[in-house]
Structure formats: structure tokens, C-alpha cells
């Protein structure tokens, strides 16, 4: 055969540009010795030669100039391309080669399938966007099907999909697969990993009578089987009705028929109450899927058919793109070895590998309010920080650049290995309790994991924990700091201020430093970050401990409950040993002093108030998009009030950012687009009583009044108790706000690291080892050193950037993963609420509000009308300026003491956190009722 037509057995993955994803994968299946129907492939060169003279270049150019959201124009251009292709005859030479190859198949009925060059790839699924034609039975119909397949490259859906991903239309081409048709008694699809739970050791098979199109198109309720691929056990068996089947027509093509009717009755029909596969055939299918998975090195989405002689054929295989990657210790290779590490080696019986220990991983990125992936340098920086923490705690860290032992990465996000905690009596007691107040949904998921018999307790004493924690606390003088702060709180705050000033001074690097010195200094900052935490955390911890102590003295059953506060008369009749009661201590934490994030937000509001008095600034800030305003600010072209006000804010807080724990993310001083958008939102707030500074002052006054009520209640049980409650609550307010300071200092240090790395990147770009200065954030420290030594890193950066931008599109991030790929949260049964249709989460800030929702996935440039309910996946300090004008808050992540919950309480806005899938279940503009005390969100009609 010529270069235009190739046999399927001659194809391989390396030929993707010539034959497309579907054909290349079929060639790989044949190379692995798997049963694939015979056939041939019409290459992309045949497509290029055929459409070259048709004038598609003009369509390509027009598509390039059309915005991805202009669907009407895109559809018009797509229709023009289809018309050009379907109206043209195939070149004579091409048609001749097709017919020659077809005659070699003895002229049997064939399936004609599209195979696009951007299809069936590991990083993007184009499946189903191009056409397939079944039961093609003569030469004329075959050539017509080829032409229709080529035209289907330009369906409205395919064109819009490519535009949304900035794929150059001139670079796409289509190959066509022609295969011998399987006259199927049964057919369907098989996933070699469970697409719902993520478990890698389970094959999921959907099957029905007739051709597989009935299953693929969703026209039938198929039989459903789940198979343990290690043992061959059939774990689930659910029979479908199988009332519809797709059957070949004698004259070509197919028809949908109703099973059991006169029209579709036949001797090969399967009764609805009988499976269309035997147990032996189910196991055979699962084994074939396991072999396909082993060959490709990743879980596969396959299509199959069972012929009249009982032979199983694989007709298609592609990666399952929806599975979340498994955690891998290696820094960069987790996606490249998706099925190789801890997936296939545990489940592939043909390899005889032993089953590895089940491990439990928590997504640290999500716990930090970060849903997006981290840049390679961002990951490298946090590995270095984690290693310094682990080393200080006495753990062995062989390679600080690789991170501490519990550190792993998956999907370019950070996960922490919690297996040791899950197997420890102490860990099972402590870790979920911590997450109860930080990320309550994760605590629930973790407790469910403890029930897995594969995670039995192996450590029953606290010695392993104590031998690391006690020496560390002693070296950091944590007990001494807590006692001194308890006795002399104001002096403790002064010492803390001195420490932060001295620590910040160590971040500076003399002018004129060499690129190598800058790189070393950046890495050195990361290794010295840990001493910041013991200096600050004891005070913040003391604040919450004092709140807990006050609650105990008052006989509180829970500190953040929705229950009513006990009255003085109630308490007079009960002694300290009486039953616990719900005493709401939330108001004590409103309007907290010494919270750097609150101070930042109020400073931005102060600047907004000053800008409001300048009509020109107001007109400019509210009349232009934030991206344009950022460009004008960089050029010094904003009105003076706005220009000077923003410059003043950035001088104090310009080191902060959204997703700020990633050094690869621009700081606000690099790109103030987000802040300019928030300023514009502030200027839309017209009700003076809702002004954030008034709200904050009111919250502080209410907190003081609430303390007096609690002290009065304690006084009814003794003067000494009242003194203790007052002292405890006073210290709670003084220190609790410091919980934001450690991260503030860390982010300040990370901003300096970013600054030094950017300088190094500038030098490398000048030396042509990077295309742009900012590309340094797609390297790690070792690679940056190699670049300084002379290595060209441009190809590596381009590869990393492609993977990063594709990962940015991922919406679902698991809170927790098991090493077999299972997402434990998918196994939990949703808990109902009193209100039909209500969504449940964790109470975070008491109060009830009904208002329109505003779903925001990325705060940069976001528009939030005053009073709207902010619905977000999670939040970090970069989001909090939006809180000042929000009427309420709903978050998918978080617990009562998570960042968003604390800030919401301080601002006095109702908030519910840990609401699973809130950004998907709620819509912008939909009226929503948030009950922050009950932890419910009730969507309106």
C-alpha cells in the first residue's frame, strides 16, 4: 500500500500525525496481540490532498480571527467547510487506493470511522466529535462515507471545541479507519478503571444486544458489570431492560429496533431478565481490558463486540481522561506513569505483582483554598519548605529538593500521605478533629476511610508523635512563649512585631548580586521559613485555647453551634458539673484586631472611599474592564486619586496574590487586575450602613457587648469564674486574629523568592536559554541551575506549559485519594436535610440571608454586586476583598476554622462551608437562602 492507505497492523503511536488517535491506538492493540477486526487506514495526507484545492485556507483564516465565544460565526464557518468537502469528488488516485484495499477485505460489510489527529489523546478527549458509519456494504457507499467523515471534522461542536482550546484550524486533519464489521450478538463499552470512584482495580462493563452504538449513544439501559481485575470476581451485576438494539440492515446502514416486537424479534434476542454476557465472557473481557491497559500504561476506555461464534473483539481504545492522576513521589512524572505506579502493578494479574499497601492521600492544595494546579517552581518551592519543617521535627529527609516523606504530587497539586495517621490510634483521634474546624467535609471523608479493613491500626501509642513534637516545641520555646503571652499579652505582641521586622530584613539581598547568588538566596529563604511558624503559632493557638477555656467555664457543649445562648437564670440552677449547653461564642471572634488580612481589606476600602470623592477616578474605574485599568496603571495613566491610592495599597500589600502559595503566580504588584476589579466593586456600594469599615466597627462593638453578657452569666456562678472568663475572652480576641500572620509572613517571603527568580529568568531569556523571563517558573531549582550552566530549557518549558494549561481546565479535584485511585468521597451517601432540595455543609458564620447567588471560580476580574451571595470552590486571602461587599458566603471546601469561615465571621456575613459541588449545583442569579447557623443552603426555584 502507498502512503495514503496503510494496513492497521502497520500503525503505531508514533504515527499519530499520519493516522490520528483512533487508528494509532488500533495499531497498538494489534501490536499487543489483542483481537482487533482487520482493516486499513486512509491517512491524513489523503485528506490534505483532497481538500487542498477546495479553498479551506480562507475558512481556516476566518476561524483564527473569530473569538471562541462567537458561536454563531464559528458555526457558519464550520458549515461552509462541510459544504466544500461534501460537494467535492475524491481524487481519482485516492479513490482507487481505497477500493483496492477494500477488495482485499473481500468486500465484506465494513465500519468507517473518523480518526482525528487531536483525538483520543491522554490530555484531551475529542471522542464522539467526528462521525462513524456502520455496515457500509459497497464501494459507492464506502467513498461517500469517507467524504462524510472528512466533513465531520468541521461539525459545529468540533470547531467550537478546538477554538476554546486555541487549536489552529489549519493544523488539524482527519484520517479514516475502515474495518471489517463484527456482526455482533452483543457489544458495548468497558472502562478498565472505575470512572465513578476512580478505583484502578475495577473494570466496568456496559453491554447490550446487537451493535455497540445502542450503548454508546445512550439509547438503551445496558447490563452493567463491575469486575475486580486482580481476582476476576464480579463485584456488581445489574441487568438493563435491553429493549432497544441497533441491528445492521440488509442494504447497508443500521436501524434501531425494539426488542420483543414483531419488527425486531429474532432468535438471537436476549430476554430482559437474562444477561447478554456469561460470567466467563465478562471475565474474558476484563482480562482483555487489563492487557490493553498494560500495553498503553494507563487505564483505557474501550469499545468491544462479541460475534456469533462467541469471540470478543476490541474495536476501540483510548485513555480515560476523567480519572484524577494517582499521587507519585517523583517530581514530574505522575501523569506520564498514570497506570504504571500503584495502579497496574497492583492489579495486573498477568504480571504477578504483589499488592502494595493501601495509602491515604489528602489534597493539601485544596486545604489551602487552592483549586488550580501549581507551577513547577511553585511545587519545587513548597517541597523545599516542607523539607525544612520535616528536618526540624527530626524526620529523615534524604533530598530536601524532593520534599519530606509524606509529600507527594498528583495532577500538579500537593497531596499529603496520611497513611501513618490512619494506622495510628492517636492519629485517628487527632487528625479528623483538626479537620473538623479546618475542612469539615474532609474530616467526614477521612473517618469513612478508617472503616476500610485494609487500613487496620498498627500503632497504638503516642510515642512516635511525641518524640518528634516535644523536642521541636522545646527548641522553639513554644511553652515559654505561650505562658509569657498568657501573663503579659501586650508584651508578647511587641516581641512578635520585633521578630517579624527582623525576619523580613533577612529576605533582602544586596544590589548587584549575580544570577547564581540570587538563585541560591531564593532557595535559602525557603529553607529558613520554618522558624517563622513557632514564633507566631503559639499566640494564635493560645487565642483559640482561651476561647475553648471560656466555653468550658461557661458549660458550653460546642463553641460554634447554632444553639441559643443560655440565660443567667438557667445557669443559676446548674453547677459546673451539669449538662453541657449550646453557648454561641461566634460573636466573640467578630471584628478581631491584629488580623493582617482584615487590615488589608479595610485598607483597600479606605482607598476606595478616598477615590469615591474624585469623580474622574470613579468614572474611569467603573467604566473600563480591569485588564484595561491595569494597563493604564502600569503606564501611570490613571487619574491621580486612583493611581496614587492603588500605588499606596500595593506598597503595603503588593506581595499578595490569588493562589499566593505558588511562587509562579504573579503578585498584585506584578498584575493589579484583581485589585482594580475589587475597587470597582467597592465603588458600587451605595448604602453607607453597609460600608465595610462600619460593619467591622459594629462587629467589634457587638463582640465586646457579647463578652459582657457572657461575663455576667459567669458571675452568677461566682466572681472568680467571671474574672477567668473575661481574661480568657480578652486574650481570645487579642490573639485569635494572629492566625493569618504566619501565612502573611510566608507569602511575603515567597514574593521575595519570586522576585529573585524573575531576575534570574530575565538573564536566562537574554541568553536565549528561555523564551521569556517568566518561563523560569516552569523549571525547578536544579533545572534553573542547569540553565545558568548553559542548557537550553525552551523545549522542556513548552512541554510543561502545555500540561499546566490543560490541567487548569480540570474542575473536579478530590479532597482525598487512595493509592488504588479510589476517591473515598464518592462512596459516601449524601446526608439529607430538613428542607427538600437543601444543600448541607458546615456552619461557619451564623445568620440567614436570601439573595442572588454569584458563582465565581476565579476572583481575578470577578464582578460581585453588593449583597450577592458569593459561591466559590474555596478561598484564600486573595479572595477576601470580595467578602466586604458580599451578602453571604458558600464554599465547597472548608470548616468552621478555615480561612474563609474565620473572615466571614469577622465581617458578620452568613456563611456555610464544605458544601459539596456548590459551584455546579447553584447558578449565578439564582435566589439562594444561606443559613450560616444551621449549615444549609436552600436554592430558590
Amino acid at each position: 500500500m502507498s502512503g495514503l492507505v496503510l494496513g492497521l497492523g502497520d500503525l503505531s503511536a508514533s504515527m499519530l500525525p499520519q493516522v490520528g488517535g483512533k487508528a494509532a491506538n488500533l495499531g497498538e492493540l494489534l501490536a499487543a496481540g489483542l483481537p482487533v477486526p482487520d482493516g486499513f487506514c486512509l491517512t491524513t495526507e489523503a485528506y490534505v490532498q483532497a481538500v487542498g484545492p477546495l479553498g479551506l485556507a480562507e475558512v481556516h483564516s476566518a476561524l483564527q480571527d473569530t473569538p471562541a465565544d462567537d458561536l454563531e460565526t464559528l458555526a457558519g464557518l464550520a458549515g461552509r467547510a462541510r459544504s466544500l468537502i461534501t460537494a467535492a469528488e475524491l481524487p481519482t488516485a485516492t479513490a482507487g487506493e481505497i477500493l483496492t484495499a477494500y477488495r482485499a477485505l473481500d468486500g465484506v460489510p465494513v465500519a468507517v470511522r473518523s480518526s482525528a489527529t487531536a483525538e483520543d489523546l491522554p490530555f484531551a478527549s475529542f471522542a464522539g466529535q467526528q462521525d462513524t458509519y456502520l455496515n457500509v456494504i459497497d464501494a459507492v457507499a464506502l467513498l461517500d462515507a469517507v467524504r462524510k467523515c472528512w466533513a465531520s471534522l468541521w461539525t459545529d461542536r468540533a470547531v467550537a471545541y478546538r477554538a476554546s482550546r486555541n487549536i489552529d484550524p489549519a493544523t488539524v486533519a482527519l484520517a479514516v479507519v475502515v474495518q471489517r464489521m463484527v456482526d455482533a450478538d452483543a457489544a458495548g463499552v468497558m472502562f478498565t478503571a472505575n470512572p465513578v470512584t476512580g478505583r484502578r482495580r475495577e473494570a466496568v462493563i456496559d453491554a447490550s444486544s446487537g451493535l455497540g452504538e445502542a450503548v454508546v449513544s445512550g439509547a438503551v439501559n445496558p447490563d452493567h458489570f463491575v469486575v475486580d481485575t486482580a481476582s476476576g470476581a464480579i463485584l456488581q451485576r445489574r441487568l438493563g431492560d435491553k429493549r432497544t438494539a441497533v441491528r445492521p440492515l440488509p442494504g447497508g446502514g443500521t436501524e434501531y429496533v425494539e426488542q420483543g416486537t414483531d419488527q425486531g424479534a429474532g432468535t438471537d434476542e436476549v430476554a430482559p431478565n437474562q444477561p447478554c454476557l456469561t460470567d466467563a465472557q465478562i471475565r474474558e473481557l476484563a482480562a482483555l481490558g487489563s492487557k490493553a491497559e498494560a500495553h498503553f500504561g494507563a487505564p483505557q476506555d474501550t469499545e468491544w463486540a462479541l460475534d456469533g461464534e462467541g469471540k470478543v473483539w476490541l474495536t476501540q481504545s483510548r485513555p480515560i481522561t476523567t480519572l484524577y492522576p494517582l499521587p507519585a513521589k517523583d517530581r514530574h512524572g505522575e501523569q506520564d506513569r498514570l497506570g504504571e505506579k500503584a495502579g497496574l502493578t497492583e492489579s495486573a494479574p498477568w504480571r504477578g505483582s504483589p499488592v502494595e499497601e493501601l495509602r491515604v492521600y489528602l489534597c493539601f492544595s485544596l486545604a489551602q483554598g487552592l483549586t488550580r494546579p501549581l507551577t513547577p517552581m511553585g511545587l519545587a518551592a513548597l517541597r523545599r519548605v516542607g523539607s525544612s519543617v520535616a528536618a526540624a521535627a527530626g524526620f529523615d529527609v534524604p533530598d530536601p529538593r524532593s520534599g519530606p516523606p509524606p509529600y507527594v504530587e498528583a495532577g500538579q497539586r500537593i497531596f499529603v500521605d496520611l497513611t501513618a495517621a490512619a494506622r495510628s490510634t492517636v492519629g485517628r483521634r487527632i487528625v479528623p478533629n483538626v479537620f473538623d474546624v479546618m475542612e469539615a467535609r474532609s474530616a467526614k471523608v477521612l473517618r469513612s476511610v478508617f472503616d476500610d479493613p485494609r487500613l487496620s491500626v498498627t500503632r497504638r501509642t503516642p510515642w512516635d508523635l511525641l518524640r518528634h513534637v516535644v523536642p521541636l516545641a522545646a527548641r522553639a520555646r513554644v511553652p515559654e512563649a505561650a505562658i509569657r503571652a498568657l501573663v503579659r499579652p501586650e508584651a508578647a505582641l511587641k516581641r512578635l512585631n520585633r521578630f517579624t521586622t527582623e525576619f523580613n530584613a533577612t529576605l533582602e539581598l544586596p544590589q548587584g548580586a549575580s544570577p547564581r547568588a540570587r538563585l541560591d538566596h531564593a532557595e535559602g529563604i525557603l529553607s529558613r521559613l520554618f522558624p517563622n511558624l513557632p514564633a507566631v503559632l503559639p499566640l494564635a493557638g493560645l487565642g483559640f485555647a482561651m476561647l475553648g477555656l471560656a466555653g468550658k467555664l461557661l458549660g458550653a457543649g460546642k463553641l460554634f453551634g447554632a444553639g441559643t445562648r443560655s440565660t443567667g437564670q438557667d445557669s443559676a440552677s446548674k453547677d459546673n458539673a451539669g449538662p453541657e449547653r449550646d453557648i454561641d461564642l461566634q460573636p466573640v471572634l467578630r471584628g478581631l484586631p491584629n488580623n493582617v488580612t482584615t487590615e488589608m481589606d479595610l485598607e483597600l476600602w479606605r482607598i476606595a472611599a478616598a477615590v469615591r470623592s474624585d469623580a474622574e477616578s470613579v468614572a474611569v474605574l467603573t467604566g473600563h474592564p480591569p485588564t484595561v485599568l491595569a494597563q493604564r496603571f502600569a503606564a501611570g495613566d490613571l487619574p491621580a486619586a486612583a493611581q496614587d491610592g492603588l500605588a499606596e495599597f500595593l506598597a503595603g500589600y503588593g506581595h499578595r496574590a490569588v493562589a499566593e502559595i505558588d511562587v509562579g503566580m504573579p503578585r498584585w504588584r506584578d498584575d493589579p487586575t484583581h485589585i482594580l476589579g475589587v475597587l470597582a466593586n467597592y465603588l458600587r456600594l451605595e448604602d453607607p450602613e453597609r460600608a465595610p469599615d462600619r460593619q467591622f466597627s459594629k462587629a467589634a462593638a457587638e463582640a465586646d457587648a457579647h463578652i459582657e453578657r457572657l461575663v455576667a452569666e459567669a458571675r452568677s456562678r461566682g466572681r472568680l469564674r467571671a474574672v477567668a472568663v473575661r481574661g480568657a475572652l480578652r486574650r481570645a480576641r487579642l490573639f485569635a486574629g494572629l492566625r493569618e500572620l504566619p501565612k502573611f509572613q510566608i507569602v511575603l517571603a515567597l514574593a521575595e523568592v519570586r522576585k529573585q527568580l524573575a531576575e534570574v529568568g530575565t538573564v536566562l531569556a537574554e541568553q536565549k536559554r528561555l523564551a521569556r523571563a517568566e518561563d523560569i517558573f516552569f523549571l525547578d531549582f536544579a533545572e534553573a541551575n542547569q540553565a545558568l550552566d548553559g542548557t537550553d530549557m525552551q523545549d522542556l518549558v513548552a512541554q510543561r506549559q502545555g500540561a499546566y494549561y490543560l490541567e487548569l481546565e480540570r474542575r473536579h479535584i478530590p479532597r482525598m485519594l487512595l493509592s488504588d485511585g479510589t476517591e473515598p468521597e464518592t462512596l459516601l451517601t449524601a446526608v439529607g436535610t430538613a428542607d427538600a432540595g437543601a444543600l448541607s455543609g458546615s456552619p461557619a458564620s451564623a445568620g440567614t440571608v436570601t439573595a442572588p447567588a454569584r458563582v465565581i471560580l476565579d476572583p481575578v476580574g470577578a464582578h460581585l454586586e453588593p449583597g450577592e451571595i458569593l459561591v466559590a470552590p474555596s478561598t484564600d486571602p486573595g479572595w477576601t476583598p470580595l467578602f466586604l461587599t458580599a451578602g453571604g458566603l458558600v464554599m465547597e471546601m472548608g470548616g468552621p476554622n478555615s480561612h474563609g469561615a474565620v473572615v466571614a465571621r469577622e465581617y458578620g456575613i452568613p456563611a456555610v462551608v464544605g458544601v459539596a459541588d456548590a459551584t455546579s449545583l447553584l447558578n449565578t442569579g439564582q435566589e439562594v437562602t444561606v443559613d450560616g447557623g444551621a449549615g444549609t443552603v436552600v436554592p430558590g426555584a
Side-chain angles (χ1 to χ4, degrees):
M1 296 183 184
S2 74
L4 297 185
V5 176
L6 300 174
L8 293 183
D10 299 326
L11 310 183
S12 67
S14 64
M15 301 171 68
L16 180 68
Q18 297 168 261
V19 300
K22 184 181 280 89
N25 288 349
L26 289 172
E28 289 290 332
L29 289 174
L30 282 168
L34 296 171
V36 174
D38 190 18
F40 60 90
C41 175
L42 186 64
T43 66
T44 55
E45 179 60 27
Y47 167 84
V48 171
Q49 290 185 16
V51 304
L54 303 183
L56 279 184
E58 295 180 8
V59 178
H60 296 162
S61 178
L63 286 171
Q64 280 281 66
D65 296 335
T66 304
D69 58 356
D70 187 353
L71 299 181
E72 183 176 353
T73 301
L74 291 175
L77 292 168
R80 181 181 170 193
R82 293 195 302 273
S83 297
L84 289 171
I85 294 171
T86 54
E89 293 292 332
L90 269 67
T92 302
T94 301
E97 293 198 30
I98 293 172
L99 296 180
T100 298
Y102 176 54
R103 283 191 292 270
L105 294 177
D106 301 324
V108 299
V110 293
V112 183
R113 306 175 188 274
S114 303
S115 181
T117 53
E119 183 183 44
D120 295 344
L121 301 180
F123 48 80
S125 179
F126 287 68
Q129 293 191 3
Q130 279 80 50
D131 288 345
T132 289
Y133 297 90
L134 302 177
N135 195 36
V136 177
I137 62 172
D138 60 44
V140 173
L142 172 58
L143 296 180
D144 185 54
V146 167
R147 188 165 43 244
K148 289 179 178 177
C149 283
W150 283 345
S152 72
L153 185 62
W154 301 99
T155 61
D156 295 354
R157 176 189 172 201
V159 168
Y161 188 88
R162 293 194 293 266
S164 70
R165 282 149 180 79
N166 295 315
I167 296 175
D168 185 348
T171 64
V172 298
L174 192 77
V176 178
V177 174
V178 179
Q179 278 181 290
R180 189 185 303 269
M181 271 287 295
V182 178
D183 188 8
D185 280 357
V189 299
M190 171 175 57
F191 293 89
T192 67
N194 194 315
V196 176
T197 66
R199 185 166 293 167
R200 300 312 202 259
R201 286 181 279 272
E202 290 182 354
V204 178
I205 300 169
D206 284 344
S208 191
S209 303
L211 302 179
E213 179 65 20
V215 176
V216 174
S217 66
V220 66
N221 293 321
D223 292 344
H224 179 79
F225 309 100
V226 178
V227 184
D228 183 313
T229 55
S231 66
I234 301 174
L235 305 177
Q236 293 181 30
R237 187 193 309 269
R238 185 177 69 241
L239 300 186
D241 56 36
K242 299 183 289 294
R243 292 179 181 175
T244 302
V246 177
R247 302 285 183 185
L249 288 167
T254 60
E255 66 174 346
Y256 283 80
V257 297
E258 295 299 316
Q259 303 252 56
T261 66
D262 291 339
Q263 178 186 7
T267 58
D268 58 348
E269 287 185 7
V270 177
N273 61 346
Q274 294 294 321
C276 59
L277 294 176
T278 66
D279 286 3
Q281 290 167 340
I282 293 169
R283 293 189 179 95
E284 181 184 357
L285 258 178
L288 286 176
S290 293
K291 290 178 180 178
E293 182 179 88
H295 180 76
F296 287 106
Q300 297 291 296
D301 168 4
T302 68
E303 295 181 18
W304 57 271
L306 177 72
D307 67 20
E309 298 179 357
K311 182 172 181 177
V312 178
W313 299 87
L314 294 179
T315 59
Q316 188 165 301
S317 187
R318 55 178 171 260
I320 305 176
T321 58
T322 56
L323 290 176
Y324 195 83
L326 293 175
K329 182 65 178 177
D330 181 82
R331 294 202 294 270
H332 308 306
E334 73 270 16
Q335 291 189 354
D336 297 334
R337 291 176 304 284
L338 180 62
E340 182 178 340
K341 296 287 189 181
L344 287 181
T345 55
E346 296 179 14
S347 63
W350 60 91
R351 292 189 181 181
S353 301
V355 176
E356 298 176 4
E357 178 191 15
L358 187 71
R359 307 204 69 81
V360 182
Y361 302 106
L362 175 86
C363 187
F364 178 80
S365 293
L366 274 184
Q368 288 296 306
L370 188 61
T371 57
R372 62 185 294 141
L374 280 79
T375 60
M377 188 62 82
L379 291 168
L382 293 176
R383 287 196 298 270
R384 198 66 182 81
V385 173
S387 293
S388 69
V389 175
F395 291 96
D396 182 31
V397 184
D399 179 10
R401 284 180 173 173
S402 295
Y407 177 101
V408 293
E409 295 170 9
Q412 301 171 46
R413 295 169 179 87
I414 300 171
F415 283 76
V416 178
D417 189 338
L418 292 181
T419 309
R423 290 188 173 277
S424 163
T425 301
V426 176
R428 289 189 172 205
R429 189 161 54 242
I430 294 177
V431 176
N433 289 338
V434 171
F435 278 99
D436 276 334
V437 295
M438 291 184 62
E439 216 296 290
R441 180 70 177 174
S442 291
K444 182 176 182 179
V445 175
L446 187 57
R447 288 187 175 100
S448 74
V449 169
F450 293 162
D451 295 331
D452 194 312
R454 296 172 293 175
L455 287 169
S456 57
V457 172
T458 58
R459 297 181 182 88
R460 302 186 182 279
T461 68
W463 169 242
D464 284 340
L465 176 66
L466 294 175
R467 69 188 181 91
H468 291 290
V469 172
V470 172
L472 177 62
R475 286 196 302 273
R477 304 172 72 177
V478 171
E480 176 187 345
I483 293 172
R484 291 169 67 182
L486 186 63
V487 177
R488 299 184 60 196
E490 286 79 7
L493 290 175
K494 290 180 180 179
R495 284 193 298 273
L496 179 60
N497 289 334
R498 284 197 303 270
F499 169 82
T500 55
T501 300
E502 294 168 359
F503 179 82
N504 294 345
T506 67
L507 303 178
E508 299 176 2
L509 185 68
Q511 293 292 328
S514 68
R516 187 83 64 181
R518 291 184 184 279
L519 196 58
D520 291 344
H521 179 65
E523 196 166 9
I525 288 174
L526 299 170
S527 67
R528 298 191 301 271
L529 268 181
F530 178 68
N532 173 50
L533 297 179
V536 181
L537 283 178
L539 300 188
L542 179 63
F544 286 100
M546 290 295 99
L547 188 70
L549 174 62
K552 291 297 183 184
L553 291 171
L554 291 164
K558 53 183 178 179
L559 303 185
F560 298 106
T564 57
R565 183 178 58 83
S566 301
T567 63
Q569 289 81 0
D570 291 334
S571 60
S573 63
K574 300 176 182 177
D575 58 26
N576 194 37
E580 293 182 336
R581 298 159 294 149
D582 287 346
I583 297 178
D584 189 7
L585 295 180
Q586 275 194 19
V588 174
L589 299 181
R590 291 182 177 169
L592 284 175
N594 302 318
N595 186 317
V596 289
T597 299
T598 303
E599 292 167 359
M600 174 188 74
D601 295 342
L602 290 175
E603 173 65 13
L604 187 60
W605 171 257
R606 185 191 66 77
I607 289 171
V611 168
R612 190 187 295 273
S613 63
D614 180 63
E616 183 185 6
S617 292
V618 172
V620 170
L621 289 178
T622 58
H624 296 84
T627 51
V628 173
L629 297 174
Q631 294 170 358
R632 292 187 61 175
F633 174 76
D637 192 33
L638 289 178
Q643 185 80 23
D644 295 345
L646 182 57
E648 180 184 353
F649 176 81
L650 294 178
Y653 299 101
H655 65 283
R656 307 218 72 164
V658 176
E660 59 193 2
I661 65 170
D662 183 357
V663 297
M665 291 296 291
R667 309 291 107 172
W668 287 338
R669 67 189 177 203
D670 303 323
D671 180 6
T673 300
H674 173 52
I675 293 303
L676 284 160
V678 174
L679 270 175
N681 285 340
Y682 284 1
L683 294 175
R684 297 184 181 96
L685 183 61
E686 298 179 355
D687 184 356
E689 291 303 314
R690 297 193 59 198
D693 52 350
R694 292 195 186 184
Q695 292 289 330
F696 185 80
S697 297
K698 179 182 177 182
E702 289 175 349
D704 289 338
H706 194 66
I707 288 176
E708 292 304 318
R709 287 193 293 271
L710 295 175
V711 169
E713 180 174 335
R715 188 175 293 115
S716 67
R717 304 169 71 182
R719 183 174 178 277
L720 186 59
R721 187 185 298 269
V723 172
V725 167
R726 183 185 296 278
L729 293 178
R730 178 173 175 270
R731 284 159 178 77
R733 282 191 56 76
L734 198 62
F735 294 136
L738 293 173
R739 72 178 296 275
E740 296 290 317
L741 186 58
K743 187 172 184 180
F744 183 89
Q745 291 297 120
I746 289 172
V747 171
L748 188 67
L750 292 178
E752 184 63 26
V753 170
R754 177 182 169 83
K755 175 183 174 182
Q756 299 302 328
L757 290 171
E759 294 285 350
V760 176
T762 299
V763 172
L764 292 175
E766 292 171 352
Q767 296 173 346
K768 306 301 182 184
R769 291 162 196 167
L770 294 176
R772 296 165 295 276
E774 59 268 25
D775 287 351
I776 194 171
F777 298 108
F778 287 88
L779 304 176
D780 62 20
F781 286 102
E783 293 158 351
N785 273 292
Q786 292 174 23
L788 289 176
D789 290 336
T791 303
D792 187 339
M793 292 292 181
Q794 295 189 52
D795 288 344
L796 176 62
V797 166
Q799 176 186 345
R800 296 259 179 85
Q801 287 175 334
Y804 175 81
Y805 292 122
L806 285 165
E807 192 61 37
L808 276 174
E809 298 181 7
R810 189 186 298 276
R811 284 291 309 276
H812 172 66
I813 314 299
R815 285 175 167 84
M816 197 167 293
L817 273 176
L818 303 184
S819 56
D820 66 359
T822 302
E823 294 184 29
E825 189 171 11
T826 64
L827 305 178
L828 290 180
T829 302
V831 178
T833 60
D835 298 305
L839 309 178
S840 62
S842 298
S845 179
T848 302
V849 61
T850 300
R854 175 76 64 171
V855 178
I856 297 179
L857 303 179
D858 185 345
V860 178
H863 177 82
L864 182 71
E865 289 289 341
E868 287 184 325
I869 294 171
L870 172 60
V871 182
S874 59
T875 62
D876 65 8
W879 287 73
T880 58
L882 292 173
F883 286 26
L884 289 182
T885 56
L889 173 68
V890 177
M891 285 168 41
E892 292 180 336
M893 298 293 297
N897 201 27
S898 61
H899 171 81
V902 170
V903 176
R905 284 197 295 272
E906 292 186 13
Y907 293 167
I909 62 175
V912 180
V913 298
V915 182
D917 301 321
T919 59
S920 301
L921 298 173
L922 301 176
N923 301 311
T924 293
Q926 181 181 21
E927 189 171 88
V928 173
T929 298
V930 175
D931 187 334
T936 60
V937 181
V938 181

